[in-house]
Amino acid sequence: MAKQKVIGVCRLCLKQNVELQDSHIISEFLYKDIYDAKGRFYVFSEHEAHAGRPEQKGLREHLLCWACEQKFGRWEKYVKELLFDRAPKGIDMGDRMEYPGIDYPQFKLFQMSLIWRMGVTSLGRFDNVELGMKHEERLRSMLDRSDPGEAYEYACFMEHVAYTIPEYGSVILPPTRGAKKFQGHPCYRTVLGGIVWCFFMSSHMAQFPKPMVFLSTAGVLPVWKESQSARRFVREATAPIIAQHTSV
Ligand SMILES: [Zn+2]
């Protein structure tokens, strides 16, 4: 049976009466490990009823017109090829790996598109993400104009948690708002593709004390090695699910 077209307003460019694509909320390549292993993946939620329920396909919603979907797809392709399709050449800095030569606009826009999609979707798994009208509209406008902004604006801190525990590479954790502000700034944490992504939602990031922890406009990407707090965060959120997964 042919799929029915969904006509509506594109959430990104706001064009009306356009055919909406069945967009992934989380980029499909971030599910890859789990698809490969079992053809299904695990999505976790703070909501008890959802915890550990396997999904047979990615979480999607009709959000974007064709042109906007293509635009997001280009940024995704760049990040997928760079970080996930081949081992990128990084410099070991002790507490982090540094990847030079990154295309700042494409990588930064991809990060911003991830948290924006998780913020605007109506899917229940992402209920935790409330960007607020001001940030939601500002992000939308920047993404629509392909404007990555300054390095500190809607910056994302990345920490590799599958470094010592490979199982974390097959964990997908919808974002939760940090219980405590990080250096005074609210952020959302999620686990995707073996990486903890911390998305900062703050209008005062210009005062962030350590901007070097983020991707720089010069194109240097730091990916931090797992800290005790990241390990604890992932372990506590996933322990029951990992046990269920491995006992199947
Ligand atoms: Zn559009």
Side-chain angles (χ1 to χ4, degrees), residues 104-112 148-151 153-155 215:
Y104 171 75
Q106 293 206 68
F107 203 100
K108 178 78 185 313
L109 286 161
F110 169 73
Q111 291 174 324
M112 290 160 60
E150 300 291 339
E153 289 182 280
Y154 302 115
L215 169 66

Side-chain angles (χ1 to χ4, degrees), residues 10 12-15 64-65 68:
C10 172
L12 189 68
C13 67
L14 306 180
K15 284 199 183 87
L64 304 175
C65 72
C68 290

Side-chain angles (χ1 to χ4, degrees), residues 223-242:
V223 178
W224 295 78
K225 296 183 185 176
E226 62 189 31
S227 64
Q228 278 198 358
S229 81
R231 204 175 307 151
R232 195 166 53 238
F233 162 68
V234 180
R235 193 175 53 227
E236 285 171 4
T238 60
I241 316 301
I242 294 274

Side-chain angles (χ1 to χ4, degrees), residues 34-244:
I34 309 160
Y35 274 145
D36 288 347
K38 287 205 163 184
R40 63 183 186 184
F41 59 87
Y42 288 85
V43 174
F44 310 110
S45 162
E46 283 197 323
H47 303 296
E48 198 62 37
H50 292 156
R53 205 167 67 189
E55 299 282 345
Q56 295 299 329
K57 56 186 171 137
L59 297 166
R60 293 163 170 270
E61 187 174 358
H62 290 90
L63 288 181
L64 304 175
C65 72
W66 188 85
C68 290
E69 180 86 4
Q70 299 307 304
K71 184 157 86 163
F72 276 20
R74 283 195 295 276
W75 302 333
E76 281 180 359
K77 182 168 181 285
Y78 176 73
V79 172
K80 173 179 179 286
E81 290 179 355
L82 183 85
L83 280 190
F84 292 88
D85 283 357
R86 56 191 158 87
K89 282 196 175 60
I91 304 161
D92 194 335
M93 306 294 283
D95 54 359
R96 65 191 184 280
M97 295 298 291
E98 274 193 1
Y99 301 99
I102 304 292
D103 183 319
Y104 171 75
Q106 293 206 68
F107 203 100
K108 178 78 185 313
L109 286 161
F110 169 73
Q111 291 174 324
M112 290 160 60
S113 76
L114 257 185
I115 189 64
W116 178 77
R117 273 179 277 184
M118 295 192 261
V120 299
T121 179
S122 59
L123 296 178
R125 299 296 173 96
F126 301 95
D127 280 353
N128 290 321
V129 186
E130 286 188 30
L131 304 179
M133 270 170 60
K134 186 182 74 175
H135 290 306
E136 191 176 306
E137 172 52 23
R138 179 120 203 283
L139 269 171
R140 186 204 63 76
S141 168
M142 290 170 80
L143 291 165
D144 188 33
R145 290 179 283 116
S146 301
D147 171 13
E150 300 291 339
Y152 56 79
E153 289 182 280
Y154 302 115
C156 179
F157 176 89
M158 295 171 71
E159 193 164 339
H160 188 192
V161 282
Y163 201 72
T164 54
I165 305 179
E167 283 86 349
Y168 290 169
S170 54
V171 161
I172 289 180
L173 201 62
T176 49
R177 195 176 171 113
K180 283 188 295 190
K181 289 184 176 180
F182 189 86
Q183 306 271 2
H185 301 276
C187 67
Y188 285 97
R189 284 197 293 196
T190 181
V191 178
L192 303 166
I195 292 171
V196 175
W197 309 64
C198 300
F199 299 96
F200 283 84
M201 276 305 128
S202 165
S203 306
H204 312 289
M205 287 296 285
Q207 287 101 48
F208 193 83
K210 295 178 188 165
M212 71 293 273
V213 302
F214 307 124
L215 169 66
S216 74
T217 51
V220 178
L221 173 72
V223 178
W224 295 78
K225 296 183 185 176
E226 62 189 31
S227 64
Q228 278 198 358
S229 81
R231 204 175 307 151
R232 195 166 53 238
F233 162 68
V234 180
R235 193 175 53 227
E236 285 171 4
T238 60
I241 316 301
I242 294 274
Q244 189 184 335

